[in-house]
């Protein structure tokens, strides 16, 4: 499933068997990502419906055997465009944020029931905690970032905690009952314990001074991120940062010579892959062992901020990579690093995921 960004408002669903386009989605401005539900062969687009100008979540179901796709529902919401999202650990629920009214919306990916909550923000990142009973939501980014904790069952805003500027990327550890948010100063710790919920518990200092985290997309669990300094332009680092939530510490995985770009973790949390801002290589990581595994050559990227999108096949044996300068997608065998197939596209790809 590949989206071509704002300039085209177009998404194609491509058969991996034939390479043919089997479904076309028009007049939908996809924001940031495609979310897949592998168990139910569904995928979800979020952003803005062009015709109505409303925030929207478009829900699709695929018949893998017959190479067909159907839209099963489109949710239209007031409150401006949907920007960010966060699935829970098994993709049975997805959080969304509408940026103008600051609301949080939870979609049940099986029943398609949608619930809305107050307590979001204008630029929210999100996390789940305590077996999905709590929503952790940030408000604002460049300004001082607040972190809100919301009770899913009652909708009650339980706490608001002030952190620092550039809060971007949230996660939570159920074992220690602690939430974490990356910021310019480091990683802020916020208590999720019943008696001290919302209490600020200190900051984990960054590995390097004046370096912050940007990309922090993972399944529930530790956050893995590339780092960059904040100033005139982005400066990318040649290592991946790992947050050990139980020990409340940071360490790094070196990727010599590779200035890391957009990062993806496989839905089962086993594999990670990151683009590079200074080469056309893809870096592959063993996530449970916190190890750099190999570099894989892909097609040409333009090395921009959102340099590539990446996705893993359901069996985790293949890696799919968008090539923004080549207008293509590479299907790569992780074991031997060979490109198995290249899918040519009509336009520059932006967001991409794989359902099979």
């Amino acid at each position: 499933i590949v989206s071509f960004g704002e300039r085209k408002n177009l998404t194609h669903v491509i058969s991996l068997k034939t390479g043919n386009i089997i479904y076309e989605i028009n007049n939908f401005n996809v924001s940031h990502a495609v979310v897949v539900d592998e168990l139910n062969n569904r995928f979800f687009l979020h952003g803005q419906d062009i015709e109505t100008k409303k925030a929207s979540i478009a829900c699709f179901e695929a018949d893998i055997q017959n190479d067909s796709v159907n839209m099963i529902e489109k949710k239209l919401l007031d409150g401006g465009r949907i920007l960010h999202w966060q699935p829970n650990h098994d993709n049975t629920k997805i959080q969304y944020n509408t940026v103008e009214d600051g609301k949080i919306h939870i979609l049940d990916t099986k029943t398609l029931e949608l619930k809305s909550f107050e307590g979001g923000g204008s630029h929210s990142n999100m996390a789940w905690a305590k077996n999905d009973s709590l929503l952790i939501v940030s408000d604002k980014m460049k300004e001082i970032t607040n972190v809100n904790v919301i009770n899913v069952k009652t909708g009650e805003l339980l706490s608001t905690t002030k952190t620092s500027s550039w809060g971007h990327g949230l996660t939570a550890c159920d074992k220690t009952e602690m939430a974490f948010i990356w910021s310019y100063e480091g990683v802020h710790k916020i208590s999720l314990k019943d008696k001290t919920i919302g209490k600020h518990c200190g900051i984990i200092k960054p590995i390097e001074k004046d370096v912050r985290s940007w990309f922090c997309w993972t399944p529930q669990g530790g956050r893995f991120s590339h780092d960059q300094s904040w100033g005139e332009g982005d400066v990318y680092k040649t290592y991946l940062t790992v947050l050990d939530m139980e020990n409340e510490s940071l360490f790094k995985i070196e990727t010599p010579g590779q200035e890391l770009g957009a990062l993806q973790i496989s839905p089962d949390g086993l594999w990670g892959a990151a683009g590079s801002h200074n080469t056309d290589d893809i870096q592959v990581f063993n996530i449970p062992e916190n190890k750099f595994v190999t570099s894989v050559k892909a097609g040409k990227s333009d090395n921009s901020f959102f340099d590539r999108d990446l996705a893993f096949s359901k069996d985790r044996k293949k890696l799919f990579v968008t090539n923004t300068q080549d207008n293509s997608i590479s299907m790569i065998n992780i074991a031997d690093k060979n490109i198995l197939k290249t899918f040519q596209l009509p336009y520059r790809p932006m967001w991409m995921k794989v359902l099979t």
Side-chain angles (χ1 to χ4, degrees):
I1 306 115
V2 56
S3 168
F4 300 106
E6 292 184 15
R7 287 174 293 179
K8 299 298 178 184
N9 297 320
L10 177 67
T11 299
H12 282 169
V13 182
I14 299 169
S15 167
L16 297 180
K17 289 184 273 187
T18 66
N20 296 331
I21 299 168
I22 60 172
Y23 196 83
E24 184 171 280
I25 303 154
N26 292 293
N27 296 320
F28 195 97
N29 186 347
V30 177
S31 175
H32 275 50
V34 178
V35 182
V36 298
D37 172 10
E38 293 180 330
L39 182 63
N40 295 301
N41 288 329
R42 291 179 172 179
F43 66 93
F44 304 88
L45 307 181
H46 63 272
Q48 185 179 49
D49 180 70
I50 300 303
E51 184 178 352
T52 63
K53 305 298 183 186
K54 287 191 171 187
S56 184
I57 304 166
C59 313
F60 300 86
E61 192 165 270
D63 182 337
I64 305 298
Q65 186 173 359
N66 295 312
D67 260 1
S68 65
V69 171
N70 288 302
M71 178 187 286
I72 51 178
E73 192 161 345
K74 182 189 283 187
K75 306 284 189 181
L76 295 176
L77 302 167
D78 295 320
R81 183 180 180 185
I82 296 174
L83 183 62
H84 286 151
W85 78 105
Q86 180 64 57
N88 65 352
H89 69 286
D90 58 3
N91 279 25
T92 56
K93 294 180 176 65
I94 310 170
Q95 285 188 68
Y96 297 101
N97 162 231
T98 40
V99 296
E100 290 179 12
D101 64 5
K103 286 186 177 180
I104 297 298
H105 311 274
I106 296 180
L107 178 72
D108 185 308
T109 58
K110 185 176 182 179
T111 67
L112 303 184
E113 180 184 8
L114 189 71
K115 295 182 178 180
S116 298
F117 300 81
E118 303 288 343
S122 59
H123 192 285
S124 294
N125 279 251
M126 295 155 278
W128 300 81
K130 293 192 172 181
N131 295 316
D132 300 344
S133 67
L134 297 180
L135 307 181
I136 320 297
V137 183
S138 66
D139 180 17
K140 300 184 177 62
M141 186 177 67
K142 293 183 181 180
E143 307 90 341
I144 297 298
T145 302
N146 291 323
V147 176
N148 298 330
V149 180
I150 302 168
N151 183 306
V152 173
K153 186 175 181 179
T154 66
E156 180 186 359
L157 177 62
L158 301 177
S159 66
T160 297
T161 307
K162 184 181 291 186
T163 60
S164 59
S165 62
W166 282 101
H168 199 279
L170 276 167
T171 193
C173 181
D174 284 353
K175 184 175 181 179
T176 62
E177 297 182 283
M178 191 76 72
F180 302 86
I181 183 168
W182 300 84
S183 78
Y184 184 62
E185 294 180 346
V187 182
H188 291 259
K189 303 183 293 179
I190 300 167
S191 174
L192 298 177
K193 295 179 180 179
D194 292 339
K195 293 184 178 179
T196 57
I197 196 161
K199 179 183 177 182
H200 192 277
C201 298
I203 301 174
I204 304 171
K205 295 297 182 183
I207 289 173
E208 292 185 47
K209 184 180 178 181
D210 296 331
V211 171
R212 69 187 173 92
S213 157
W214 188 262
F215 287 103
C216 310
W217 319 128
T218 75
Q220 291 298 102
R223 289 283 169 181
F224 296 77
S225 172
H226 81 57
D227 282 323
Q228 61 190 43
S229 64
W230 180 246
E232 293 298 323
D234 296 313
V235 180
Y236 304 99
K237 296 296 179 179
T238 57
Y239 56 81
L240 195 68
T241 304
V242 181
L243 168 60
D244 183 331
M245 295 190 294
E246 292 186 21
N247 294 312
E248 298 182 357
S249 61
L250 295 173
F251 63 92
K252 59 184 179 180
I253 305 173
E254 300 280 359
T255 53
Q258 301 288 345
E259 297 177 0
L260 295 183
L263 172 73
Q264 281 293 333
I265 309 295
S266 62
D268 54 15
L270 297 179
W271 293 98
S276 172
H277 286 288
N278 60 328
T279 74
D280 291 324
D281 295 344
I282 306 300
Q283 317 313 308
V284 179
F285 301 89
N286 181 315
I287 296 302
E289 296 182 11
N290 295 314
K291 289 182 179 179
F292 167 68
V293 178
T294 189
S295 288
V296 178
K297 184 71 68 176
K300 291 188 178 297
S301 167
D302 58 12
N303 299 321
S304 62
F305 185 74
F306 290 107
D307 56 320
R308 295 184 187 272
D309 206 356
L310 309 101
F312 293 87
S313 61
K314 192 178 284 190
D315 62 9
R316 314 302 178 228
K317 294 180 180 180
K318 301 179 185 67
L319 174 65
F320 294 78
V321 181
T322 60
N323 307 309
T324 50
Q325 278 198 336
D326 291 345
N327 290 352
S328 67
I329 295 172
S330 297
M331 182 171 70
I332 299 167
N333 186 330
I334 295 176
D336 61 17
K337 302 188 290 186
N338 287 326
I339 295 178
L340 300 175
K341 193 171 184 178
T342 298
F343 299 90
Q344 204 62 44
L345 305 171
Y347 311 110
R348 180 186 188 273
M350 280 290 289
W351 317 115
M352 177 270 304
K353 283 294 171 285
V354 177
L355 194 55
T356 61

